[in-house]
Each structure stands twice: as C-alpha cells, then as structure tokens.
Amino acid sequence: MKVVGKLKSLKQISPSKYTSLKKCTYRTILANSGTKQILPYSPSSHLGTIIHECLNLIFSNKINEINKFSKKWDELIEKEEESLRRKGLSLYIPLSKNVQGYTIKKLQVKSILKKKISKENFEETSTRKPYKIYTEKWLESADGLIAGKADFIFNSDSYSKLSDFKTGNILDEGAIKKDFEDQLNLYAYLFKENFGKYPDALSLIDLQNNEHFIIISEEKCETLAQEAKSYLKWVNQCISDIRIDKIANPNEEICSSCLFRPACEFYWRKKNYNSELKFDDVKGLLVEVKKFKNGNINITINQNNQNILIYRIKDIFEEFLRDSLQKEIAIYNLKRVSNLTYQAIKTTKIYYAER
C-alpha cells in the first residue's frame, strides 16, 4: 500500500506533536496529506480519549457530583462504542471487557472527582478574584506556526498555572520524561503569546492524582519555540524538494507505535526486528488458505523460501485472502509464537504488499 496524491507541507506544529514529529516526521506528513489511519488504535487508546474528556470536565467543575460522572462516563462509552461499530471494530466492544485495567482506571477518575481536585488545588488562589479556568484552551503563537489545546489553565491577576493530563506514566527512572517536559515548555511559550506573560507554574497530572511540576525557564521556552519553528521550515523544504528520505526514520521503537506502516515505503526496507515486541508484521507470497468450522482461518505464506503459518485469522478477511492466493500480501499486528508461526489478534490487518 502506498500513499496516493501529493504530500502536503505543514502549516503549523503543536506542542504535543513536536517531539513525535522529530522522531519520525514522515508519519505526521502522511496524516497531514490525507492518508487515513491505516492500522487501528488499541482498545486502551479509545478508553484514554474518554478519560481525558472526563478529566477536563472535572477540572472545569462541569462534573461535580458522582452521579453526573457516572452518567457522563456511560454516555461517552456508548458514543465511543458506536463509533467503533461504524469503523468495523466491533471486536473491541464492550470496552469494559477489552481494556486491561478498565475498572481500575474508571475508579481512578472517580477518585479524582471525589477529592475535588480543581477546588482543592486552587482553593487558595481561587479566592483571588478575578480569575478564570480554561479547559481545552486553544493557544496559538503570534505567527501561527505553533498552536495547540492546553488541557487546563488557571489564570488570575496574581497567579497562573498550566497543567497537562496524562493517562500513562509521567516519570522515567524517577524523572519527568523529556518529551513531556518539552511539551509543557512549548505550551508555556504559547501561554505567553496569548496572555502576555509566562505562567507561574507548569505541571503534569496523572490518574493517581499526583501532580508533577517543572521549573519554568523563559530562555528555554523561547529557544525550544525557535527550534520548533526552524524544524517546521526544514520539513517543508524537504517536502518541496521531494527529499522524503530525510524525514523518514524507520526504527524499532518508532515503528512499533506507528499506525501508518502499511503506507510507508521505508518501513519494510528497514525492518529486521530480533527483539520481542507487542506486535510483529510479516509479508510474503500467500500459498494456502484454510477455513475451519469455527470460522477461523489459517494461512501459509512463503517468505524467502520458508513457509510461515498464521492462524486464528477472522473470517472477515476470507474474501480478500481467497482473491490473494499466489500474490504478495503484508499482515500487520501479529503475535509471534515462534520463528515460523504467528497468531492473529484483534488489531490484525491485511493488505497487498508493494514490491
């Protein structure tokens, strides 16, 4: 599978995407150029979207009772599951059965509400009127080159704080992850661009109600913003010069989380994984298709004169596989059982392979 159409330049860069953009710009370019997400997000990612929205509502005091939280949670789950059905991802439904730690994560969000985080954290400062609380606040630099939505902002005449919610681990070996720190510094720069001053505090908040602060350095924020703008200019020049090889960076760490692998012509050139991953991808000549009474399908593909067995493929792929006999196919998101045996999982996708 290859991208159809012309690659488009980027108009602006967001703080939350800047660090991932530097790791492999090409996947961002693919998305920006109209290439739809080709591989599905994991079920936990869909729950993360719901958690994030609930946290925004809690911190803005729009959810201030347990009953309101329960009702809103159910509404958001129903909406997300309906979206999954439309996308052909009914295998993820219900999310409560397909997301590891679903109940714990829901209880963690409820615990944040019970402790009334927004009130307790700002009880002292909120009496200093006038003040405003913003959630999902759009911030943009004066030149429009950097822009994004800040999760939470408290702003008064005498005190201001910008916070970002994270549903995963914030720390790496006891220190805040550098990617998260860079994101916050860029948001601090955008805060200054929009409010005329830097915030007094920057923090990251996790699902355990831990708040991690970073020290604000105005010089660092300004330097990082200029680096981001220069990088944006360089990326667009590469696109203009059709030097896509300069902005593609296929490697194990990056590709393992990339949903655009089937559209990346650089991925298979580089792929040579030897370590254990959460997924693996295989391509080769499809030589056999077997369907069983339970609906599952086993296939055999030939790769470099070796036969590879892939089993438990869902019957939704049957027609495609029957039509693909003696053709090159690529299968994404498989569980490796042995060197020559793989098992299909819920996120497995199959496409024709590009020669």
Side-chain angles (χ1 to χ4, degrees):
M1 173 179 288
K2 290 185 178 179
V3 179
V4 177
K6 183 179 179 181
L7 294 178
K8 298 179 181 178
S9 60
L10 298 174
K11 294 182 179 179
Q12 57 187 199
I13 190 171
S14 73
S16 59
K17 294 294 184 182
Y18 178 51
T19 52
S20 62
L21 182 70
K22 287 198 300 181
K23 290 178 180 178
C24 181
T25 306
Y26 189 46
R27 60 181 172 184
T28 302
I29 297 301
L30 288 174
N32 182 64
S33 300
T35 301
K36 293 184 178 180
Q37 162 203 329
I38 301 170
L39 297 177
Y41 289 106
S42 67
S44 59
S45 296
H46 293 277
L47 183 65
T49 300
I50 293 168
I51 291 172
H52 202 272
E53 184 165 349
C54 283
L55 289 175
N56 281 325
L57 293 171
I58 289 171
F59 272 70
S60 62
N61 289 321
K62 293 178 181 177
I63 291 181
N64 50 22
E65 297 176 2
I66 296 298
N67 288 339
K68 286 184 179 180
F69 165 74
S70 298
K71 181 179 179 181
K72 189 63 178 179
W73 179 275
D74 291 343
E75 288 177 358
L76 292 173
I77 289 289
E78 183 178 353
K79 180 180 178 180
E80 191 68 21
E81 290 182 343
E82 178 57 34
S83 175
L84 289 171
R85 289 189 187 91
R86 291 196 302 269
K87 294 176 181 177
L89 294 173
S90 295
L91 292 173
Y92 286 3
I93 301 172
L95 287 172
S96 60
K97 302 289 186 182
N98 288 284
V99 177
Q100 186 175 4
Y102 175 95
T103 302
I104 293 175
K105 291 180 184 296
K106 181 179 179 181
L107 289 173
Q108 287 174 329
V109 179
K110 185 182 290 187
S111 176
I112 290 176
L113 173 59
K114 286 181 177 180
K115 294 175 182 178
K116 300 185 182 301
I117 296 298
S118 58
K119 179 179 180 181
E120 292 177 3
N121 279 2
F122 302 101
E123 184 174 0
E124 179 182 353
T125 57
S126 64
T127 60
R128 305 172 187 171
K129 295 183 178 180
Y131 72 93
K132 285 187 177 181
I133 289 177
Y134 305 90
T135 59
E136 292 289 308
K137 173 68 173 176
W138 179 258
L139 302 175
E140 187 171 318
S141 60
D143 55 17
L145 296 179
I146 305 177
K149 289 183 179 180
D151 285 345
F152 184 88
I153 292 174
F154 175 91
N155 191 37
S156 72
D157 292 338
S158 57
Y159 180 82
S160 59
K161 181 165 85 166
L162 187 151
S163 300
D164 198 21
F165 305 137
K166 298 297 181 184
T167 58
N169 294 328
I170 291 175
L171 304 180
D172 183 14
E173 297 183 354
I176 294 175
K177 294 179 179 179
K178 185 180 183 304
D179 287 358
F180 294 164
E181 187 173 339
D182 286 348
Q183 288 173 21
L184 276 182
N185 280 318
L186 281 174
Y187 273 117
Y189 169 80
L190 290 180
F191 185 96
K192 184 266 297 182
E193 291 281 279
N194 287 262
F195 291 94
K197 62 177 182 177
Y198 275 92
D200 297 295
L202 289 174
S203 72
L204 295 158
I205 301 173
D206 63 23
L207 286 180
Q208 287 74 45
N209 190 25
N210 298 316
E211 190 165 15
H212 306 270
F213 289 87
I214 71 167
I215 298 174
I216 300 176
S217 165
E218 295 184 13
E219 181 180 358
K220 184 175 182 179
C221 294
E222 294 284 343
T223 299
L224 191 60
Q226 293 308 311
E227 288 177 357
K229 293 177 184 181
S230 296
Y231 190 78
L232 180 65
K233 181 179 179 180
W234 175 79
V235 169
N236 287 335
Q237 188 62 53
C238 288
I239 295 173
S240 177
D241 295 342
I242 318 179
R243 293 302 310 273
I244 307 305
D245 57 307
K246 294 289 186 179
I247 59 176
N249 183 29
N251 65 62
E252 183 173 313
E253 178 186 1
I254 295 171
C255 294
S256 64
S257 60
C258 181
L259 305 179
F260 294 89
R261 298 193 303 278
C264 180
E265 61 265 40
F266 304 98
Y267 169 63
W268 284 105
R269 298 180 199 171
K270 184 74 174 181
K271 185 182 183 306
N272 185 25
Y273 297 156
N274 295 313
S275 63
E276 290 296 323
L277 296 174
K278 293 181 179 179
F279 78 92
D280 207 340
D281 302 335
V282 177
K283 74 172 181 176
L285 183 70
L286 180 60
V287 296
E288 187 177 42
V289 178
K290 287 185 178 179
K291 183 176 182 180
F292 297 89
K293 291 182 179 180
N294 64 2
N296 286 339
I297 296 172
N298 289 4
I299 66 171
T300 302
I301 67 171
N302 187 273
Q303 181 187 80
N304 299 326
N305 296 319
Q306 286 186 312
N307 282 341
I308 297 175
L309 173 67
I310 302 168
Y311 65 93
R312 290 189 183 176
I313 297 175
K314 297 300 180 182
D315 59 5
I316 58 173
F317 294 108
E318 182 178 7
E319 183 178 353
F320 175 87
L321 291 170
R322 299 289 184 192
D323 293 339
S324 302
L325 277 167
Q326 300 304 315
K327 296 179 182 178
E328 292 276 342
I329 64 171
I331 310 175
Y332 299 85
N333 291 348
L334 294 168
K335 178 181 178 182
R336 183 195 291 266
V337 179
S338 69
N339 285 338
L340 299 176
T341 307
Y342 296 81
Q343 178 184 325
I345 58 178
K346 288 185 177 181
T347 57
T348 296
K349 289 290 184 180
I350 309 175
Y351 296 102
Y352 287 118
E354 295 291 342
R355 293 184 180 275

